[in-house]
Amino acid sequence: MEIKSKVIKYGDHIDTDVIIAGHRLVYGSNISLMAKYAMETIDPEFHKKIAQGAQIIVAGRNFGSGSSRQQAPEVLKESGIKLILADSIARIFYRNAINIGLPAIIAEGISKIVSEGDTLTVNLETGEIKNLSNGEILNSKPIPGFLMDILKAGGLVNYLKNKLFSERRI
């Protein structure tokens, strides 16, 4: 599974309140409405960048820290983000992202070889990250097989539905 896209780049400690502010949670389960406000506090051009073909977020350390709100990865996915790469990712955010089918890779050093607007190709199964803009290559740990199965199914709920359905047919 390979993803190719331009990059939107952020720094360290992008917490869940920055991804979607707490006062926007009043929209309940309406993720489409909440997504309109994703990253609003630090990047008013976020949705414009996605519309121009940037669908990979690259960040520094501790991406997704803060509260465990599941809406944070959901609004990024709903906005059109296809992949998150960061020097480190908060544990709960990482699990929430994988559970909804949004790939996230911890790639130590990624923030040093990528600039805003660069184009990357990322192989999720091998962990190879190629920066097509400057020629640099970074090898990160690949996403483990059982998590790839969840991503390929489109998230944990679909994965479990598929698994239960296939077991009933045997």
Side-chain angles (χ1 to χ4, degrees):
M1 184 178 217
E2 189 169 283
I3 295 174
K4 179 181 178 183
S5 178
K6 289 182 183 177
V7 165
I8 301 172
K9 187 175 177 188
Y10 299 111
D12 295 336
H13 310 295
I14 302 299
D15 66 33
T16 53
D17 206 41
V18 169
I19 296 168
I20 185 70
H23 69 275
R24 299 294 185 191
L25 300 178
V26 297
Y27 301 120
S29 60
N30 190 337
I31 297 301
S32 295
L33 182 56
M34 270 190 270
K36 294 178 183 177
Y37 304 101
M39 308 303 273
E40 69 180 331
T41 59
I42 63 165
D43 189 357
E45 301 293 316
F46 178 70
H47 292 285
K48 183 178 176 184
K49 293 173 185 175
I50 293 171
Q52 294 172 344
Q55 298 176 314
I56 296 175
I57 288 177
V58 170
R61 294 177 295 132
N62 209 20
F63 187 86
S65 60
S67 75
S68 59
R69 69 180 63 142
Q70 67 185 40
Q71 296 90 345
E74 288 176 335
V75 298
L76 295 178
K77 183 177 180 183
E78 180 68 20
S79 295
I81 294 299
K82 302 291 185 210
L83 172 65
I84 297 168
L85 297 168
D87 292 327
S88 65
I89 300 173
R91 182 179 55 85
I92 293 173
F93 180 90
Y94 181 83
R95 286 302 306 180
N96 284 340
I98 298 294
N99 286 345
I100 64 163
L102 176 61
I105 295 179
I106 298 168
E108 192 172 322
I110 190 69
S111 65
K112 292 181 176 53
I113 68 164
V114 174
S115 299
E116 174 93 8
D118 283 357
T119 299
L120 304 180
T121 59
V122 180
N123 185 315
L124 302 180
E125 289 156 325
T126 65
E128 183 178 82
I129 302 165
K130 293 180 185 174
N131 186 333
L132 302 179
S133 300
N134 66 19
E136 295 206 44
I137 296 175
L138 179 70
N139 290 305
S140 66
K141 288 183 181 176
I143 295 176
F146 71 100
L147 295 181
M148 280 302 303
D149 292 342
I150 292 171
L151 291 172
K152 287 177 181 174
L156 183 58
V157 171
N158 288 339
Y159 172 80
L160 292 174
K161 283 180 182 175
N162 294 342
K163 188 169 177 122
L164 290 172
F165 179 72
S166 68
E167 288 175 358
R168 286 184 186 160
R169 299 188 110 213
I170 294 176

